[in-house]
Amino acid sequence: MMRSEAEEAFARGERARRAGRWQDAEAAYRAAWKSDPRPEFAGELGLSELALGRSRDAAEHLRESLLVPETLQPAVQRRFRAGLEKAEREVSSATVAVSRPEAEVFIDGRSIGRGQGMYFVYLDPGRHEARGKLEGYVDDVYPFEAQRGRESMIGLHLEPKPPPPVAPAPVAPVPVAPVPAAAPGGPSAGTVFRVGGIALASAGVVLGTGFAVAAAVRGGEAEAQAAQIRERNGAAACLSEAYTEPCGVLLEMIDARDTLKAAAWGSFIGTGVVGAVALSSLLWAPEPGKRAVRAAPLATAQGGGIIFSGSW
């Protein structure tokens, strides 16, 4: 019976492997795998790459070989799984969840696919950047640090691009009635504004803290869910249809975590703006009967700055 081209290349790889010629084995196994992407060919290619110190390539091919483990003999499965565990200790990995499955996802400018809600990739340790792109949506970019032997959980949220601005129709000016002076003995408008602004800023701090705590809780839940999935079927479990439901739950957890983080930052930033405007009212709305706050530049041999003086 004639052997196929892939089988001939695989046989050359087996002879080179037994002789310890890993460069020749890797080239032969790669030719076999490209000609016929069988799990066994992918696994032997991965073990050859591992022997040559190319841990990330080895992890990718060994993971691919174990996506359908029932096609492999038990002894072969054990070899490939042991090789994968060894390779994963030397590299990092990332699970990327994207809010629009039809978007194309990139890592460091390299496309890793489109049409899925979640992706799993191996990475060399170091600085990386994830990006989601979709026509009509604003790109979402997520820089992150990949650590050896650890997994990163990344969420990409794509928002529709805002419509182009429409020029407003001219509006006739409306006369503004003068603001009546505060009644004697009552608080001035500046005081009321400052008190209200500081109260609003305080509420924003409380709200932002609540969002931050909730984001931390959601992040912990996502990590626990990912750990359970990995324990059951390895790091690439979410590529299997059998794990569609639990991986969908994980995607929702990552999305909720990142949404709460964004809300927390928004609250803190808004709080800072409101507080700054309230304090600035000391300059443009001083207390009645008191001198307005004055600002004067200061320059000395040790440095410079601004001196504020007045009554409040």
Side-chain angles (χ1 to χ4, degrees):
M1 181 178 178
M2 293 286 293
R3 289 194 296 188
S4 67
E5 180 181 345
E7 290 169 336
E8 288 286 352
F10 183 75
R12 291 197 304 273
E14 291 286 88
R15 290 193 295 272
R17 176 177 65 83
R18 286 192 287 267
R21 294 183 285 108
W22 289 108
Q23 289 282 5
D24 294 338
E26 188 274 343
Y29 287 138
R30 182 175 297 278
W33 174 70
K34 284 187 174 181
S35 179
D36 184 359
R38 297 184 197 175
E40 186 176 2
F41 296 171
E44 294 296 350
L45 172 58
L47 290 178
S48 299
E49 291 167 331
L50 186 61
L52 294 170
R54 288 158 38 194
S55 299
R56 184 177 63 82
D57 293 338
E60 289 180 351
H61 290 122
L62 288 164
R63 181 195 68 180
E64 181 178 340
S65 73
L66 292 167
L67 290 178
V68 191
E70 60 271 14
T71 62
L72 301 171
Q73 295 294 325
V76 175
Q77 284 188 44
R78 288 192 294 270
R79 286 179 57 234
F80 291 173
R81 199 171 296 279
L84 179 59
E85 291 173 359
K86 182 177 179 180
E88 286 181 333
R89 288 194 292 268
E90 300 300 320
V91 299
S92 181
S93 60
T95 295
V96 184
V98 60
S99 61
R100 305 293 304 186
E102 62 271 31
E104 188 169 10
V105 177
F106 298 82
I107 298 288
D108 301 330
R110 176 176 65 94
S111 176
I112 62 173
R114 70 162 69 229
Q116 298 176 214
M118 188 174 295
Y119 299 86
F120 178 87
V121 292
Y122 288 110
L123 301 167
D124 292 320
R127 195 70 176 166
H128 297 277
E129 180 187 271
R131 179 183 294 268
K133 295 178 68 71
L134 181 62
E135 184 71 26
Y137 287 76
V138 179
D139 290 3
D140 190 15
V141 180
Y142 190 102
F144 63 99
E145 186 77 22
Q147 299 181 14
R148 189 184 308 276
R150 301 190 63 180
E151 180 180 2
S152 301
M153 307 291 293
I154 299 166
L156 296 176
H157 301 267
L158 276 67
E159 298 290 339
K161 290 182 179 179
V166 178
V171 179
V174 178
V176 179
V179 178
S188 69
T191 299
V192 173
F193 182 86
R194 283 188 286 278
V195 171
I198 292 172
L200 185 59
S202 300
V205 170
V206 174
L207 185 62
T209 302
F211 281 136
V213 172
V217 172
R218 272 303 196 187
E221 292 174 350
E223 291 289 347
Q225 176 77 355
Q228 290 180 1
I229 293 172
R230 286 195 299 270
E231 288 174 3
R232 292 173 184 171
N233 200 36
C238 285
L239 299 180
S240 170
E241 294 183 0
Y243 284 83
T244 299
E245 183 175 347
C247 290
V249 173
L250 175 60
L251 175 60
E252 292 175 359
M253 289 179 175
I254 295 173
D255 186 72
R257 178 202 65 185
D258 292 343
T259 299
L260 288 167
K261 278 185 180 179
W265 278 109
S267 297
F268 290 137
I269 293 170
T271 293
V273 172
V274 171
V277 172
L279 291 176
S280 72
S281 66
L282 294 169
L283 296 172
W284 48 265
E287 291 286 349
K290 298 182 180 178
R291 291 183 300 164
V293 176
R294 295 186 299 108
L298 173 66
T300 70
Q302 286 74 34
I306 299 176
I307 296 178
F308 289 94
S309 62
S311 301
W312 55 82

